[in-house]
Amino acid sequence: MSPLKPNRRQILAGLAASVAIPALPQLARAQGSATLTVATGPVPVYLNAALSTGGGEAAVSGKMMDGLLTYGEGMSPEPQLAESWEVSEDGLTVTFKLRPGVMWHDGEPFTSEDVRFSVLEVLKVFHGRGRATFANVTEIETPDELTAVFKLTKPAPAMMSALNAQESPMLPAHVYVGTDIQQNPANLSPIGTGPYKFVSYAPGETLVMERNPDYWDEGKPLIDQLIFRYISDGSTRAAMLETGEADLVGSSQLPTIEILRFQSLDGFEVNGAGYEHTPSIHLCDFNLRRPQWQDKRVRQALNFAIDKKWVAENVWFGLASPGTGPLHVQQKAFYTTEGVPNYDIDLEKAEALLDEAGYPRGEDGWRFSMVIDAVQYGEEPPRAAEYMREQFREIGINAEARVNDFAAYVKRVYTDHDFDLTSYTASAGADPAIGVQRFYWSKNIKDGVPFSNGSGYASDEADALLEAAAVETDLEKRKQLYADFQAVAMEDVPVIQLVYDAKKTITSTHVKDYVQGALSFFGNFADVHKDA
């Protein structure tokens, strides 16, 4: 039986039929080159990335807050709030010397107590990746206001790649201590040390920031006003960019066909640089709490029903590559396909596995029913869900696709666990211990925490490999541990890795220096400026 393969025209026709393009909103924006407007989505739950790993939070967090470090090209660590750092020979002590004279936006001084509080009381508790990143950090000593000494029970080689403001923003202890951290008003009116200060936020509409005149990096930022406009429809973002209503769209938040069009338009630039810190994978989590997914043969069958190469070429229009395993192909030091189970499309094998697992076709032709829940984060997750729906129907599964806005998706998947299979894109991180481990580590099954182990996957073997790799300092031994993990994960397939996404930033050519080392759209925009 051949797989169902709708063509590009059919996909685009379906998109046009399902999305009504609203009139362009009237933007309240300052005049002149000192204002930069970003058209973006989805709407963030918080305005800092310490409490959520969502893309909306990641985009804005580093503009208002700083991290201890930032990262240059090739993921080279560079000073930010920490001027210097030293790692002990055994890897169990990391000492940061902090930058003097840094002030929070409310005028209070930044100190080592803010570092201690941010890591131990917030990132290690509430952050979807932070619990793994800082798992071995048991104490942070503060011998003086400008020294923070991390004490670890085991080495954490990945931690040094996770200290930027998008991943691990520093928060003001004096604002949060003694409060309900997740409900603190500062989560929606942030007080940071970053280049831009919070001005106003109309939830779901507009976030306005202004230049921080007291920023420690003298002379920066170079933009007076930074505006984020939350636009739910990617085609409207494209129109705003083309008409000058917006200056920049990041993280490929346009329909892929529009990104290809902008590549050929005068006056615009499409740039894939600066996403080293956030290599992106499109994932589909099985809800292993439900009976039909507990037999791995059923999960394997659905994997065999998908033509990932076709999805990469026709849903992502060539701006992605087929997924082969839990690690991103750009994580070159650890990625492998050797010894890793392969799931090239094979509908006959898929049907045989379902029969073996005790799910034969009924008199109506169906084996069982399911729903694929896609997050509305760009056009691709819903389109991918629609493709999978048709493929699964080919093998006798009565599948439906359901689209959720970001907040509804997070609640449905991570709080209510009311789903069968998901369709979403997430970062694999600068290191597998940062971005990949969270999806497969049983200790990261945490109700209400977005982009944690949503499937509920628990494997003693996978846990042992992940935990060993996270603390191994010998590169060759670490490679082997991750190779073994990839084999285990692809045998168990709690998650389908659909494609490896190649993110792009799309700008007017008058926007300059928006690629900042390894961070780009998720950087602090302190160097961004516009032609007069």
Side-chain angles (χ1 to χ4, degrees), residues 73-85:
E73 188 175 351
M75 282 299 299
S76 59
E78 297 179 353
Q80 201 168 74
L81 289 176
E83 283 193 318
S84 64
W85 53 94

Side-chain angles (χ1 to χ4, degrees), residues 280-284 316 380-382 384-385 388 422-426 496-501:
S280 183
I281 308 182
H282 193 84
L283 300 174
C284 307
W316 271 264
E380 289 76 26
M388 289 188 288
T422 61
S423 176
Y424 70 103
T425 299
I496 296 173
Q497 301 85 20
L498 199 62
V499 297
Y500 303 130
D501 193 0

